[in-house]
Amino acid sequence: MTRLIVTTDSSAAGALLRADLADLVIAIERRLIWGPLPSEQELGAFFAPRTTQSCGLHWLDDTPSWRLEELGVKDRGLIELLSECDSAELWMEPEPNAQLILLWLLDHCGNERAAVSKLVMRQLDVAVGRVDLERLAKLNPPIVDLTPDHLELAARAWRAYRAPTPQDWFGLLKTDLSLLPQLEWGAVDLLEELPSVATGLGATEMRILRVDRTRQRAALRCLPRPSEAQRASRIRLLGSGRAA
């Protein structure tokens, strides 16, 4: 096995394999933007070789086991697998959860210079799983060689996200994030999910309310309109009720 791609979406992983862009594509679909973050122990074990990690707490859990067994890489840790590959690419999509996975992964690799030397990052501005196969085979997003500056920025941003309050995460917007081009938009999107001072709701909750209102209005428009005769009858009934 020579070519490895790591992404954050199973649809993207399948598309990349069908386009013959890698020998193995790993999709990491762990969600980090809702609910409590993994514990320190879980964070440390996620990218390590599999031992006693529960299902959902290992980086290979979202890749079919038969595919891992076929290539002889079942239960590998990230660093271990990188050392066995000739090349490895990170195809991380722009959405916030994918950017958080990228930060976590780079922070984990920070002290493993030999492993990082094989890693490159593809700059994506599209959801790969939604790209048709012919276009994907020709996509060839720009390649970024990872440097110590990339790793330092990722480690800082990952610490900020894990902090107990959002101040450090907000502080990222005051720094140069151009080394990780999609991080700024991801940071803004996540900050907008904090409760608003005016409403106490985050951006997603407000969108849900707007959708709900739209559906209610649409439902009302679907109700049969009363005829002129029915309206006249109701008016007479109301009139007789007032007179009584």
Side-chain angles (χ1 to χ4, degrees):
M1 182 186 61
T2 57
R3 302 171 300 166
L4 169 69
I5 289 178
V6 180
T7 185
T8 56
D9 179 80
S10 291
S11 297
L16 291 165
L17 277 175
R18 289 191 297 274
D20 194 29
L21 295 177
D23 301 300
L24 174 63
V25 182
I26 303 296
I28 305 173
E29 295 193 313
R30 178 66 191 256
R31 303 300 295 174
L32 298 171
I33 58 175
W34 294 108
L37 285 171
S39 67
E40 288 292 334
Q41 182 179 1
E42 290 171 344
L43 288 172
F46 188 78
F47 289 112
R50 187 190 297 278
T51 53
T52 60
Q53 295 96 322
S54 301
C55 183
L57 297 179
H58 190 257
W59 77 296
L60 297 179
D61 283 340
D62 299 309
T63 302
S65 58
W66 63 265
R67 185 171 293 153
L68 299 172
E69 291 173 356
E70 186 178 75
L71 293 169
V73 298
K74 185 181 179 183
D75 299 336
R76 292 287 199 279
L78 172 62
I79 302 303
E80 183 183 9
L81 185 54
L82 289 176
S83 68
E84 298 174 10
C85 295
D86 293 330
S87 67
E89 299 182 355
L90 303 176
W91 288 58
M92 301 300 189
E93 298 184 353
E95 58 97 12
N97 194 73
Q99 293 300 299
L100 292 175
I101 295 291
L102 174 63
L103 299 180
W104 185 8
L105 187 151
L106 293 181
D107 180 64
H108 178 79
C109 292
N111 296 321
E112 302 290 341
R113 301 299 179 184
V116 171
S117 67
K118 296 185 178 183
L119 269 178
V120 298
M121 184 172 60
R122 293 280 190 167
Q123 289 189 348
L124 299 178
D125 56 6
V126 296
V128 174
R130 300 175 186 172
V131 178
D132 66 80
L133 198 58
E134 184 178 353
R135 182 187 168 202
L136 181 59
K138 301 175 182 177
L139 191 59
N140 195 28
I143 293 177
V144 177
D145 293 318
L146 294 173
T147 67
D149 289 339
H150 287 94
L151 301 179
E152 182 180 344
L153 175 58
R156 177 186 171 190
W158 182 234
R159 287 194 303 271
Y161 187 70
R162 293 164 55 208
T165 61
Q167 279 83 354
D168 290 345
W169 187 249
F170 181 78
L172 290 175
L173 301 180
K174 302 176 184 178
T175 62
D176 182 6
L177 303 178
S178 58
L179 288 173
L180 301 174
Q182 303 294 343
L183 178 56
E184 181 175 0
W185 293 110
V188 170
D189 283 348
L190 290 173
L191 286 169
E192 289 179 345
E193 293 298 335
L194 294 174
S196 163
V197 174
T199 65
L201 301 176
T204 297
E205 293 163 324
M206 290 299 297
R207 283 194 292 271
I208 291 172
L209 284 179
R210 285 195 290 270
V211 169
D212 189 53
R213 292 193 193 102
T214 301
R215 288 176 176 171
Q216 288 178 355
R217 287 194 291 269
L220 289 173
R221 286 196 295 270
C222 292
L223 293 175
R225 296 175 62 85
S227 65
E228 290 295 331
Q230 289 173 324
R231 283 199 293 269
S233 175
R234 289 176 185 174
I235 291 172
R236 286 196 297 271
L237 287 172
L238 289 171
S240 61
R242 289 195 189 97

